[in-house]
Amino acid sequence: MFELFPASTTTTFLIILISIFIMRRARASRNIRPEETEVTVESPTEFTKKLASALPHSVILPRDTTAFKQSVNAYWAQQACEMNPSCVFRPRNVQEVCSTVAILKDEYDRRREEGEEQEKERPNGLFAIRSGGHSPVSGAASIHNGVLIDLSLLCDVTPAEDGSIVAIGAGAKWKHVSQALDEKGLAVVGGRNSDVGVGGLTLGGGLSFFSPRFGLVCNNIISYEIVIASGSVITASESSNPQLWRALKGGSNNFGIVTRFTARSFPSTNIWSGFLYFPSSQSLKVLDAFHDFVSRANPSDPSKSYDDYAAGPIASFTYLQQLGIEAVAVNLAYTKLPQDPKKWPTCWSTSKFKSLWRLWSTCKVRTLTSATNELNELNPPGRRQTFATTTIKNHVGTLARTHMAYKGAIKSIRKRNVKGMSWTLVLQPFMPSWARKGDSNPLGLDRGTDEPLVNISFTVNWANQRDDEWVETTTREAIEQIELVAKVNETGHPYRYINYCGAWQRPFMGYGEENLQFLRNVSRLYDPDGLFQKGCAGGYKLGNSRMLYVQA
Ligand SMILES: Cc1cc2nc3c(=O)[nH]c(=O)nc-3n(C[C@H](O)[C@H](O)[C@H](O)COP(=O)(O)OP(=O)(O)OC[C@H]3O[C@@H](n4cnc5c(N)ncnc54)[C@H](O)[C@@H]3O)c2cc1C
Ligand SMILES: *[C@@H]1O[C@H](CO)[C@@H](O)[C@H](O)[C@H]1NC(C)=O
Ligand SMILES: *[C@@H]1O[C@H](CO)[C@@H](O)[C@H](O)[C@H]1NC(C)=O
Ligand SMILES: *[C@@H]1O[C@H](CO)[C@@H](O)[C@H](O)[C@H]1NC(C)=O
């Protein structure tokens, strides 16, 4: 299954180590559930009782221990599982969402009128909304002492007869979507990890294997079914509530609870995809191959050939504290069958990646579901997680400095010996032209440059709570170092992908003043009292663009 290259003893050793690591992670993704968190059963408040009596079949109280724990533990990041909601509301249909939003709005108004002292001091919100639970920021889709709205039962995937559109329940995961569509020879512009949720990814923008062809995930949503603050369910599309339709393409949870997305679908066969694994001694060569491919891929320069079917490269540099080793993995994809299914597609066989000495490759023709499962196995749930992101131009010096910031942190991780830590730098190309394909959005990526951009993110996980602060600070410092270099060299870009941001970042600032003003206008129109600004905990808000949440 793996293509093995002539190997010295050291590389054989490395191969064994990495295989063990990969297998352990793969196993972890199947079996290990987040550690059971202690749930203290308090007696329900008046408000919780009211909600429970209005929707007895869909409200889960802490005393329903099994169902309650199951829902509260269904997050990717361990920190989010440690929050204690006062109850879980798991709607079975959109009418139940409407009833609950109406009840929440009454309570919100009542508390505002009473001006409860506590609410003024820390407006931590009444409820949180969760789809796939893959936000790494604790409190983005989880809540302490409030209602957790768990959309997991709204997960139907219904393709239209003619195959041109598909209705997707907001609580679905991307695996539900690809499984339903693979068998029909269809696909949508969707996530690349099978376990990630449709809701959060789509409302934040979303990068897909299909983005070079059709644009961001959000640019391919023709309509949204959404429950707004008044408790009514409305449709946002090009012809009905068009401003709201545009605002939802990157506006996250600021406008209402989306219950269904209708996405464009298109015929799709198997794709070519997989990972190349390299020892860390190849890091600089991988960096060079990345830069070279991305600069050749500039679609705005007609002298350069660009194949829209190529997706990636996604280059990940990882340090594993437990094993004390570093490894490099690069994901390549091609979203149709290559001419010769046994060979690499031309765009990749002519790239520098092809000739780089590597440990092995898993690249092959496979279903989209299989490709997204492969990415998923590298990201099992149940550990403490943090993300942070920035955007730069595809500039050799800045890329080198980025890699140096990643390397620099490894020294301190070793020194502190952070238990179970894996420290990963991920680089992904992003062409501003992708943001312009499909429907218009308020992300602000169409401003200024046409130059290829590079999406930088750190995805970090570790075992113990006592390291939380240290890890967050280290991650933030690495991003700040890169941003400083980019600023000095004028190789930065203000956009920060909301779904990769850390709690301290302010993604809406990067959308640009006009887009942010537009989002605020739409919020005022559909939610004049600010239920989703102050009542809905978590996520980045439009006011000061900061995260609204309280730590458990
Ligand atoms: C392993 C992994 C792989 C990833 N791969 C990709 C990728 O390939 N491409 C990409 O673009 N991103 C990717 N991401 C980032 C991903 O987009 C975000 O983590 C996203 O928030 C996940 O969505 P979710 O529904 O699972 O999250 P949740 O944690 O459930 O929600 C995230 C936010 O969205 C809000 N929200 C969710 N659903 C709704 C709704 N129906 N109505 C209103 N608000 C809602 C929540 O309140 C919360 O603030 C990945 C993340 C992980 C952890
Ligand atoms: C970065 O990546 C994400 C998804 O992986 C995407 O939605 C976002 O728009 C990308 N672009 C930039 C410039 O960060
Ligand atoms: C970029 O900025 C840094 C200062 O932070 C400087 O040392 C470096 O030489 C500059 N140029 C490049 C190509 O990185
Ligand atoms: C927002 O609303 C104000 C006042 O109604 C209006 O003047 C302004 O042009 C709007 N801005 C955007 C970007 O929609």
Side-chain angles (χ1 to χ4, degrees):
M1 160 165 136
F2 299 129
E3 72 186 76
L4 228 51
F5 281 66
S8 68
T9 334
T10 358
T11 31
T12 316
F13 180 57
L14 254 179
I15 292 173
I16 295 167
L17 276 181
I18 296 176
S19 319
I20 293 171
F21 164 64
I22 303 273
M23 285 180 320
R24 287 183 57 179
R25 289 196 136 191
R27 214 174 323 125
S29 75
R30 265 173 254 124
N31 303 334
I32 300 182
R33 294 303 315 143
E35 263 170 52
E36 300 244 315
T37 40
E38 258 327 297
V39 179
T40 34
V41 184
E42 283 167 25
S43 47
T45 61
E46 283 310 308
F47 175 65
T48 308
K49 281 189 204 152
K50 183 174 164 190
L51 194 63
S53 65
L55 295 131
H57 302 293
S58 298
V59 171
I60 308 168
L61 296 172
R63 61 169 182 253
D64 308 327
T65 329
T66 313
F68 187 76
K69 275 192 180 173
Q70 194 181 26
S71 178
V72 171
N73 282 339
Y75 291 95
W76 180 64
Q78 174 63 22
Q79 299 102 302
C81 305
E82 288 164 9
M83 304 279 262
N84 282 332
S86 49
C87 68
V88 174
F89 164 57
R90 192 167 54 195
R92 295 169 301 174
N93 53 52
V94 62
Q95 284 71 37
E96 291 190 345
V97 179
C98 295
S99 315
T100 296
V101 170
I103 295 172
L104 287 166
K105 178 66 168 54
D106 281 349
E107 178 68 7
Y108 175 73
D109 290 342
R110 191 190 64 78
R111 289 192 193 184
R112 281 210 318 164
E113 268 158 33
E114 285 181 7
E116 283 178 18
E117 274 315 299
Q118 187 208 7
E119 288 305 302
K120 270 197 221 145
E121 269 170 44
R122 32 163 224 155
N124 59 331
L126 265 175
F127 63 98
I129 312 165
R130 181 184 72 200
S131 282
H134 266 58
S135 166
V137 179
S138 80
S142 53
I143 188 166
H144 204 57
N145 289 336
V147 182
L148 165 60
I149 301 182
D150 169 351
L151 298 174
S152 61
L153 295 182
L154 306 181
C155 63
D156 286 349
V157 179
T158 322
E161 284 286 324
D162 69 357
S164 65
I165 56 173
V166 51
I168 307 168
K173 296 189 162 214
W174 291 106
K175 62 183 168 205
H176 300 132
V177 180
S178 66
Q179 281 160 5
L181 297 186
D182 272 353
E183 59 191 46
K184 292 195 159 10
L186 295 173
V188 292
V189 182
R192 297 167 301 190
N193 267 253
S194 50
D195 226 24
V196 171
V198 171
L201 183 141
T202 306
L203 289 170
L207 199 69
S208 164
F209 286 134
F210 298 103
S211 291
R213 283 163 65 195
F214 304 115
L216 295 172
V217 176
C218 66
N219 292 8
N220 291 281
I221 303 299
I222 61 166
S223 84
Y224 299 79
E225 178 187 84
I226 178 175
V227 177
I228 54 173
S230 63
S232 344
V233 55
I234 63 173
T235 299
S237 68
E238 192 167 17
S239 54
S240 149
N241 301 298
Q243 290 193 319
L244 179 59
W245 177 61
R246 181 164 181 268
L248 288 169
K249 297 175 185 293
S252 190
N253 66 12
N254 284 292
F255 304 96
I257 301 178
V258 174
T259 46
R260 193 167 62 205
F261 299 90
T262 303
R264 293 189 188 91
S265 50
F266 47 87
S268 181
T269 53
N270 284 350
I271 69 167
W272 181 92
S273 142
F275 278 92
L276 308 177
Y277 290 90
F278 302 93
S280 67
S281 55
Q282 291 288 74
S283 294
L284 296 183
K285 287 192 180 149
V286 169
L287 213 54
D288 173 58
F290 179 91
H291 173 264
D292 182 72
F293 183 83
V294 177
S295 61
R296 285 197 297 138
N298 187 350
S300 65
D301 181 345
S303 69
K304 296 177 176 169
S305 66
Y306 182 71
D307 189 337
D308 279 354
Y309 290 90
I314 308 175
S316 309
F317 302 82
T318 300
Y319 170 70
L320 301 164
Q321 170 66 21
Q322 213 166 324
L323 303 173
I325 60 163
E326 264 184 83
V328 183
V330 179
N331 179 268
L332 305 180
Y334 194 69
T335 61
K336 70 173 176 194
L337 284 176
Q339 270 176 335
D340 179 347
K342 295 230 159 51
K343 291 201 180 127
W344 283 35
T346 316
C347 64
W348 292 119
S349 67
T350 54
S351 76
K352 288 189 178 177
F353 289 108
K354 177 70 188 173
S355 55
L356 271 189
W357 188 92
R358 60 183 173 265
L359 300 171
W360 71 77
S361 154
T362 68
C363 294
K364 63 174 185 191
V365 169
R366 46 171 104 213
T367 60
L368 183 61
T369 304
S370 147
T372 59
N373 277 336
E374 189 186 25
L375 269 97
N376 205 50
E377 295 203 335
L378 296 173
N379 294 293
R383 293 176 296 177
R384 311 187 82 77
Q385 305 277 357
T386 194
F387 276 12
T389 186
T390 192
T391 309
I392 60 166
K393 295 176 183 166
N394 184 39
H395 177 251
V396 181
T398 314
L399 282 171
R401 289 304 193 109
T402 299
H403 190 253
M404 277 162 72
Y406 154 82
K407 291 288 272 189
I410 295 177
K411 287 202 193 91
S412 9
I413 297 165
R414 283 211 166 104
K415 203 159 142 213
R416 190 182 158 100
N417 189 14
V418 185
K419 185 149 182 268
M421 179 144 169
S422 88
W423 166 248
T424 303
L425 164 68
V426 184
L427 304 179
Q428 310 180 46
F430 186 87
M431 306 298 150
S433 64
W434 298 348
R436 289 191 284 265
K437 292 189 180 182
D439 313 322
S440 135
N441 63 52
L443 301 174
L445 276 162
D446 49 356
R447 287 168 305 160
T449 187
D450 251 342
E451 277 178 65
L453 301 174
V454 178
N455 216 315
I456 292 173
S457 56
F458 283 99
T459 89
V460 188
N461 52 70
W462 66 101
N464 293 327
Q465 187 172 14
R466 67 180 154 81
D467 294 317
D468 286 6
E469 218 180 291
W470 189 87
V471 176
E472 301 273 358
T473 310
T474 304
T475 310
R476 180 174 181 160
E477 282 170 0
I479 286 287
E480 284 171 349
Q481 272 174 42
I482 299 165
E483 289 183 342
L484 186 67
V485 171
K487 195 171 171 206
V488 174
N489 295 292
E490 296 184 352
T491 48
H493 188 281
Y495 181 71
R496 307 281 174 270
Y497 179 35
I498 194 168
N499 282 340
Y500 287 175
C501 279
W504 53 276
Q505 298 192 284
R506 295 176 167 216
F508 287 126
M509 293 303 196
Y511 287 22
E513 194 47 50
E514 200 186 333
N515 286 320
L516 181 52
Q517 197 49 52
F518 164 76
L519 294 176
R520 287 179 180 146
N521 283 1
V522 177
S523 156
R524 231 170 288 139
L525 213 55
Y526 289 91
D527 181 17
D529 299 325
L531 177 67
F532 288 91
Q533 295 306 300
K534 296 204 184 94
C536 172
Y540 300 90
K541 299 299 163 183
L542 301 171
N544 60 9
S545 170
R546 265 224 168 103
M547 184 65 91
L548 167 68
Y549 75 105
V550 201
Q551 293 282 5

